[in-house]
Amino acid sequence: LGEQALAASSGKERVLDLALKAHQQAQGKRGSGYDVATATLGGLVVWRKNTDGNYSGETITWPTNLHCLAGYCGTSADTRHYLKSFSDWQASDNADVDAELAMLSRPVEEMLQAVTSTDYDQLHHATRRAHDALLEWDRRFEMGIVTVPIAKMIEISQKLKVAAKVSGAGGGDSLIAFSDD
């Protein structure tokens, strides 16, 4: 059955619940499920961890003057490899997981504020901070998320004055770019 048929018969929340359970089973309960939520709910989805440790999503309106481009560099990321590396890092004695993830999420929250207030300059700077924070984190913990092709795509976007950051699992995979033009 297609997404529309499932959504009509069960409601998007029920479809999302089933899709997240399948995602968790396939990924060994690793990963937030944000990509599943976005595909199921559609549109621009804010995905946050609740106090109970589960995630919930909210669809927000995309600004009419904001354009988005997804870039793929031609090399698929091995999501399971990155999830295992992340799990290994989480299990290490020196990992302050909550502090590290909070540091990475701050500029993403700034990006969200910029999108909802339709402030492109703020979005550009926040997107740069989000990418730079992930790049620094990636270097410190040697995850290999920001590859040479991704770095080149970011360099090109910066020359064009387009806000861009690595997206998805990274590892030579994709980036997302934003522009008001």
Side-chain angles (χ1 to χ4, degrees):
L1 292 175
E3 177 188 340
Q4 290 178 341
L6 283 171
S9 65
S10 304
K12 284 189 176 185
E13 291 77 19
R14 177 72 180 134
V15 174
L16 178 58
D17 183 54
L18 292 170
L20 287 171
K21 286 178 180 170
H23 174 265
Q24 289 175 348
Q25 185 176 11
Q27 298 284 13
K29 296 188 178 185
R30 294 179 293 204
S32 72
Y34 173 68
D35 50 349
V36 174
T38 300
T40 305
L41 298 175
L44 180 57
V45 176
V46 177
W47 191 241
R48 288 196 169 103
K49 195 174 206 175
N50 301 324
T51 55
D52 64 3
N54 293 314
Y55 290 86
S56 64
E58 169 193 3
T59 302
I60 62 173
T61 303
W62 187 269
T64 56
N65 68 335
L66 183 63
H67 305 280
C68 176
L69 176 69
Y72 174 64
C73 70
T75 305
S76 295
D78 182 350
T79 301
R80 289 180 188 218
H81 165 78
Y82 289 104
L83 288 173
K84 179 169 181 347
S85 295
F86 185 78
S87 292
D88 291 347
W89 169 75
Q90 280 182 303
S92 70
D93 289 336
N94 59 355
D96 186 352
V97 175
D98 290 337
E100 292 291 336
L101 295 180
M103 183 269 307
L104 289 173
S105 70
R106 276 187 216 100
V108 175
E109 287 294 327
E110 291 175 33
M111 288 175 65
L112 175 60
Q113 289 173 357
V115 166
T116 57
S117 68
T118 64
D119 184 336
Y120 179 73
D121 288 334
Q122 180 186 1
L123 177 61
H124 185 83
H125 295 296
T127 303
R128 178 68 188 252
R129 282 191 295 277
H131 180 75
D132 289 348
L134 182 61
L135 179 61
E136 174 58 28
W137 186 84
D138 187 38
R139 287 179 182 153
R140 282 190 4 241
F141 296 107
E142 300 175 344
M143 295 285 180
I145 294 169
V146 181
T147 62
V148 172
I150 288 292
K152 182 65 176 170
M153 291 169 72
I154 294 290
E155 179 185 326
I156 291 167
S157 71
Q158 290 170 350
K159 285 181 184 176
L160 296 171
K161 299 187 181 352
V162 172
K165 66 179 283 308
V166 69
S167 180
D173 199 297
S174 303
L175 68 79
I176 188 165
F178 305 102
S179 176
D180 60 351
D181 182 348

